[in-house]
Amino acid sequence: MAVNQDACGDGRQTEHADYQILAEQMKALAEGVDWEISNLANASALLYQVLSDLNWAGFYLYQDGKLVLGPFQGRTACTVISMGRGVCGTAAAADRTVIVADVHQFPGHIACDSASNSEIVIPVHRDGRLYGVLDIDSPVFNRFSEEDRAGLELFVKVLETEIL
Ligand code: SME
């Protein structure tokens, strides 16, 4: 289990994932597996299993100039997102990680699951070009810290350099 529990300053219990272990687990799961959809399916399942307080974790893949739904864990989701729309489209168009502490304050947020209150989206690349985004949603406001950003960017780097 790649998670340690401790109390944060406001008395709320939070869990800090060990992202190094998570990256190693991902490499082990993908070893010898050449099917990218299988690897992305296991990546979303691993994140959803290990990280605390999530209601959705998965991929949108960049195809024909838009983002289309890829492997994920969670409730059914919208199938197509235009570039620049919502948090996913914003992260993809700007090609940078976007953390949203309160999705209800984000102009154009696409509410696939009304349980979502905060979100992080990380662009994924293959051969130096945009491949898609990793989208992770939480029912907890302000769920994603700078530590999560660094850890999830490391996770995506493993996908980009060793798996995709
Ligand atoms: N939250 C996303 C839409 C996708 S669902 O959350 C799975 C967005 O606004 O980009």
Side-chain angles (χ1 to χ4, degrees):
M1 189 70 164
V3 172
N4 302 313
Q5 248 202 358
D6 55 46
C8 54
D10 58 6
R12 180 169 60 90
Q13 288 290 314
T14 188
E15 291 181 354
H16 296 278
D18 185 329
Y19 283 105
Q20 287 290 348
I21 292 177
L22 199 61
E24 292 305 321
Q25 287 173 324
M26 188 61 238
K27 283 187 215 176
L29 275 171
E31 198 177 339
V33 181
D34 286 335
W35 301 286
E36 66 190 76
I37 295 301
S38 305
N39 285 327
L40 294 178
N42 262 340
S44 63
L46 179 65
L47 292 167
Y48 198 72
Q49 248 168 256
V50 168
L51 301 181
S52 62
D53 297 322
L54 303 188
N55 60 300
W56 206 91
F59 296 89
Y60 279 89
L61 307 179
Y62 184 59
Q63 282 177 15
D64 303 326
K66 51 194 183 301
L67 297 169
V68 299
L69 186 61
F72 70 95
Q73 300 274 303
R75 300 185 70 166
T76 53
C78 54
T79 311
V80 180
I81 298 177
S82 303
M83 291 295 278
R85 271 209 66 216
V87 185
C88 290
T90 299
D95 200 10
R96 64 174 176 81
T97 298
V98 175
I99 294 177
V100 180
D102 178 356
V103 295
H104 310 287
Q105 305 301 320
F106 189 92
H109 171 250
I110 303 159
C112 292
D113 181 350
S114 61
S116 297
N117 283 320
S118 67
E119 174 164 0
I120 183 169
V121 178
I122 302 120
V124 182
H125 306 86
R126 181 161 66 184
D127 301 329
R129 284 193 292 275
L130 184 69
Y131 172 83
V133 296
L134 169 60
D135 177 15
I136 305 181
D137 299 345
S138 173
V140 175
F141 288 100
N142 202 14
R143 162 67 180 79
F144 302 102
S145 63
E146 286 304 314
E147 183 187 332
D148 293 306
R149 174 205 296 268
L152 290 166
E153 287 181 349
L154 170 72
F155 187 87
V156 164
K157 185 65 73 190
V158 166
L159 291 177
E160 292 174 337
T161 56
E162 304 197 31
I163 295 171
L164 287 174

